[in-house]
Amino acid sequence: MTDLTKAFDTVRHVTLLEKLAAQDLPDHVYNWLVNFFSGRTQCTTFRETTSELQKISASIIQGSTIGPASYVVSASDLKVVNAGNALCKYVDDTYIIIPSSKVDTRIEELDNVERLAKVNNLRLTRAKCAELVIHNGRRKRQLVLPSLLPDVTRVQALNMTINYNLSASDHVTNVIRIRSSA
C-alpha cells in the first residue's frame, strides 16, 4: 500500500484540466469543470479571525461529489513498469500487487510511483507505506520472505478488501456502508 501525502490538497487544477481535456467528454461538461476549478479561493479562520480570501490553483474537495473522480483522472497516468504486476487504485489509495515471481521489481515499482507522484505534484511518503507478503499457509513449502524494502514497514494485515479478480468493489461497498451508518 502506498501513501500519497495530502493527495487531494495538491492536485494542480491546470494539470487536472489538461487530463480532462484528453477524455471523451461533451464540451458542456468540460466547460462546466473548467468553470468549477477556475477562480477558486479559500480563507482560514482562527480564534474568531478570518484571513483574506486567497486564490488557489491546486486542491480538490475530497468530500465533494466530483472530488474522488477528479483525483482518479489526475492519477490516471500511474501505471506499473513490469508486466505481470498490477495496480489497484481507489481514490487516493494505491496498491501495487506483485507476484512472487516478480519480487525483485518491488523497488522499481515503488520508485515509479514516487516519480509519477512528483510529476503530478504529489508526494509519496515511504514511511507511511506498508508491504504485505501474502502466502498460502497450507502449502508445505517453506516461505522465504524477501528482504525488507528501505523505509517501508512490513505488516501482517491491511484494512482493505480485495476480491479474486483484483477488484476493490467489495472494499468500496463496505466503506460506503460503514460511512452511511455513522
Side-chain angles (χ1 to χ4, degrees), residues 1-100:
M1 177 187 79
T2 62
D3 182 82
L4 298 171
T5 301
K6 304 238 182 230
F8 280 82
D9 296 338
T10 59
V11 171
R12 285 188 200 108
H13 297 159
V14 67
T15 305
L16 172 61
L17 292 171
E18 286 171 2
K19 290 179 181 184
L20 286 167
Q23 303 298 312
D24 188 22
L25 294 173
D27 287 345
H28 68 281
V29 172
Y30 176 75
N31 291 336
W32 181 86
L33 290 165
V34 169
N35 187 321
F36 181 81
F37 286 108
S38 298
R40 311 257 339 148
T41 58
Q42 71 178 24
C43 64
T44 303
T45 301
F46 179 71
R47 293 189 182 160
E48 300 178 23
T49 302
T50 302
S51 69
E52 296 288 323
L53 286 175
Q54 298 292 316
K55 289 185 179 182
I56 57 171
S57 59
S59 181
I60 50 179
I61 304 165
Q62 186 172 1
S64 70
T65 303
I66 197 166
S70 297
Y71 179 79
V72 168
V73 170
S74 72
S76 62
D77 54 354
L78 181 57
K79 311 267 191 254
V80 293
V81 177
N82 298 280
N85 294 344
L87 283 180
C88 180
K89 297 185 276 186
Y90 175 67
V91 190
D92 61 339
D93 291 334
T94 302
Y95 298 85
I96 308 169
I97 301 166
I98 302 173
S100 61

Side-chain angles (χ1 to χ4, degrees), residues 41-176:
T41 58
Q42 71 178 24
C43 64
T44 303
T45 301
F46 179 71
R47 293 189 182 160
E48 300 178 23
T49 302
T50 302
S51 69
E52 296 288 323
L53 286 175
Q54 298 292 316
K55 289 185 179 182
I56 57 171
S57 59
S59 181
I60 50 179
I61 304 165
Q62 186 172 1
S64 70
T65 303
I66 197 166
S70 297
Y71 179 79
V72 168
V73 170
S74 72
S76 62
D77 54 354
L78 181 57
K79 311 267 191 254
V80 293
V81 177
N82 298 280
N85 294 344
L87 283 180
C88 180
K89 297 185 276 186
Y90 175 67
V91 190
D92 61 339
D93 291 334
T94 302
Y95 298 85
I96 308 169
I97 301 166
I98 302 173
S100 61
S101 62
K102 301 268 186 178
V103 72
D104 59 324
T105 66
R106 295 176 307 147
I107 291 176
E108 184 180 12
E109 293 291 358
L110 199 55
D111 288 346
N112 180 58
V113 169
E114 187 166 36
R115 182 182 60 76
L116 287 172
K118 284 180 185 174
V119 166
N120 288 298
N121 201 38
L122 300 169
R123 186 170 58 91
L124 178 72
T125 307
R126 289 187 188 227
K128 290 185 177 181
C129 292
E131 178 185 43
L132 175 65
V133 177
I134 300 171
H135 65 94
N136 184 344
R138 293 178 279 171
R139 295 183 82 183
K140 302 254 190 247
R141 196 171 76 198
Q142 178 66 31
L143 173 66
V144 178
L145 290 173
S147 59
L148 294 173
L149 290 168
D151 302 320
V152 175
T153 304
R154 184 169 290 157
V155 296
Q156 298 295 314
L158 287 174
N159 189 13
M160 166 67 173
T161 304
I162 189 163
N163 64 23
Y164 67 93
N165 64 357
L166 300 180
S167 170
S169 62
D170 295 338
H171 176 67
V172 173
T173 301
N174 196 30
V175 168
I176 291 169

